[in-house]
């Protein structure tokens, strides 16, 4: 029996070692940061979340201080009060991937310990399918920005967030007259949202190609983050995969997240990140 027990103990030890070896390594988040910055576009600026066609940075999912949204900043401040007031929103409405290098430079100058980056919607949401950013150019732009962050903030943690599924946006809004009117009147994301009620094969195929471009962008974001190293995390398409509802979009443009949308964006993206 002693021999059997020893054999079983040895086998159990081997199983544990195999399980440990098979478990993917997860970067240590380290202590919560004392400062942070957000890079991105109008989504990160909280555009249309509290006013008519204006930025509303207080409701940003990343660096905002509006309690209902419960941003990354507020979640971190709850465990590290030293971050108080050191939340920099470096995003710009209308920004594309090409603008990330400049925004990264701003974050470097601020000496922050944590950076979020959500970019790509405007690279896919253009006036027509033909004017979307190419996948190659998108990746080059992201690499350029991340390299600047890594060189200037070698110890900072970086969370790269997936581009939301704009095909989902079309799906939840196509049957709303108000949404269709807003998309048409303001020329919103026509690469995806043109002819929103059409079931013609050409329009179906166009929407699918635009969605595929977003998927390709997210693939490149994941690869660029992996190349960055242990201090970078990709959200593993958590935001892309979230089924946003029409009620979570601004009633002014039916494109940008409203306060409820910013709240869920904060929750989903933070849970997929470092989670201090």
């Amino acid at each position: 029996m002693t021999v059997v027990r020893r054999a079983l103990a040895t086998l159990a030890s081997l199983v544990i070692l195999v399980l440990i070896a098979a478990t993917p390594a997860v970067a240590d988040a380290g202590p919560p940061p004392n400062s942070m910055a957000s890079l991105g576009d109008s989504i990160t600026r909280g555009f249309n979340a509290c006013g008519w066609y204006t930025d509303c940075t207080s409701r940003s999912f990343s660096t905002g201080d509006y309690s209902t949204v419960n941003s990354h900043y507020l979640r971190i401040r709850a465990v590290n009060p030293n971050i108080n007031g050191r939340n920099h929103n470096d995003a710009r409405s209308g920004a594309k991937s090409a603008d990330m290098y400049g925004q990264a430079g701003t974050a470097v100058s601020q000496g922050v310990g944590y950076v979020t980056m959500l970019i790509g919607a405007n690279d896919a949401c253009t006036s027509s399918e033909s004017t979307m950013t190419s996948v190659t150019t998108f990746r080059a732009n992201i690499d350029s920005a991340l390299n600047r962050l890594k060189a200037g903030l070698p110890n900072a943690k970086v969370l790269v967030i997936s581009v939301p599924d704009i095909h989902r946006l079309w799906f939840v809004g196509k049957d709303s007259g108000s949404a269709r009117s807003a998309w048409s009147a303001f020329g919103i994301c026509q690469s995806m949202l043109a002819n929103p009620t059409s079931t013609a094969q050409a329009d179906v195929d166009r929407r699918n190609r635009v969605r595929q471009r977003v998927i390709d962008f997210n693939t490149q974001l994941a690869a660029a983050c992996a190349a960055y190293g242990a201090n970078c995390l990709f959200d593993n398409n958590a935001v892309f995969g979230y089924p946003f509802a029409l009620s979570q979009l601004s009633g002014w443009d039916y494109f940008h997240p409203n306060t409820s949308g910013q709240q869920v964006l904060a929750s989903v993206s933070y849970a997929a990140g470092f989670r201090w």
Side-chain angles (χ1 to χ4, degrees):
M1 291 298 292
T2 300
V3 173
V4 173
R5 283 196 296 270
R6 286 177 179 172
L8 290 174
T10 301
L11 179 60
S13 297
L14 289 173
V15 170
I16 291 172
L17 289 173
V18 169
L19 289 174
I20 291 174
T23 301
V26 177
D28 180 11
N34 292 324
S35 57
M36 70 172 294
S38 54
L39 315 184
D41 53 30
S42 52
I43 296 176
T44 301
R45 293 292 292 178
F47 186 81
N48 268 359
C50 70
W52 169 258
Y53 277 77
T54 185
D55 290 345
C56 189
T57 55
S58 67
R59 302 194 187 192
S60 169
F61 76 92
S62 177
T63 48
D65 59 7
Y66 191 68
S67 61
T68 301
V69 171
N70 197 19
S71 67
H72 290 222
Y73 165 67
L74 289 181
R75 292 166 192 256
I76 296 169
R77 194 178 72 176
V79 296
N80 180 19
N82 291 327
I83 199 174
N84 189 46
R86 298 174 180 173
N87 50 325
H88 308 282
N89 193 318
D90 299 328
R92 291 293 177 268
S93 291
K96 295 185 177 184
S97 58
D99 299 300
M100 291 303 95
Y101 181 81
Q103 291 184 21
T106 301
V108 168
S109 72
Q110 293 159 343
V112 298
Y114 175 48
V115 178
T116 68
M117 182 171 70
L118 171 55
I119 197 67
N122 291 328
D123 291 271
C125 276
T126 57
S127 58
S128 67
E129 182 186 356
S130 64
T131 55
M132 294 189 298
T133 301
S134 73
V135 176
T136 301
T137 298
F138 182 83
R139 174 60 185 271
N141 290 338
I142 298 303
D143 281 340
S144 179
L146 290 180
N147 287 340
R148 192 170 194 182
L149 286 176
K150 189 172 184 178
L153 300 171
N155 298 316
K157 304 296 184 183
V158 179
L159 177 63
V160 175
I161 301 167
S162 54
V163 184
D165 186 354
I166 57 177
H167 189 273
R168 172 73 184 180
L169 173 73
W170 163 78
F171 179 77
V172 300
K174 64 182 175 62
D175 296 324
S176 165
S178 297
R180 295 195 303 270
S181 294
W183 295 344
S184 176
F186 298 108
I188 296 170
C189 195
Q190 292 300 284
S191 55
M192 174 64 75
L193 302 178
N195 305 324
T197 59
S198 172
T199 58
Q201 194 61 48
D203 288 314
V204 172
D205 291 344
R206 167 180 52 82
R207 295 182 199 116
N208 288 336
R209 287 192 300 269
V210 175
R211 184 175 191 266
Q212 184 59 51
R213 184 63 56 92
V214 172
I215 292 172
D216 292 342
F217 286 167
N218 285 331
T219 298
Q220 295 307 314
L221 289 172
C225 187
Y228 188 102
N231 282 342
C232 185
L233 282 182
F234 177 62
D235 78 347
N236 200 29
N237 286 309
V239 168
F240 174 80
Y242 182 81
F244 283 94
L246 190 65
S247 62
Q248 294 166 330
L249 301 176
S250 165
W252 292 309
D253 63 14
Y254 295 90
F255 181 78
H256 292 92
N258 57 18
T259 298
S260 176
Q262 289 284 345
Q263 179 186 39
V264 74
L265 184 56
S267 179
V268 171
S269 59
Y270 193 79
F274 295 96
R275 295 182 292 181
W276 289 285

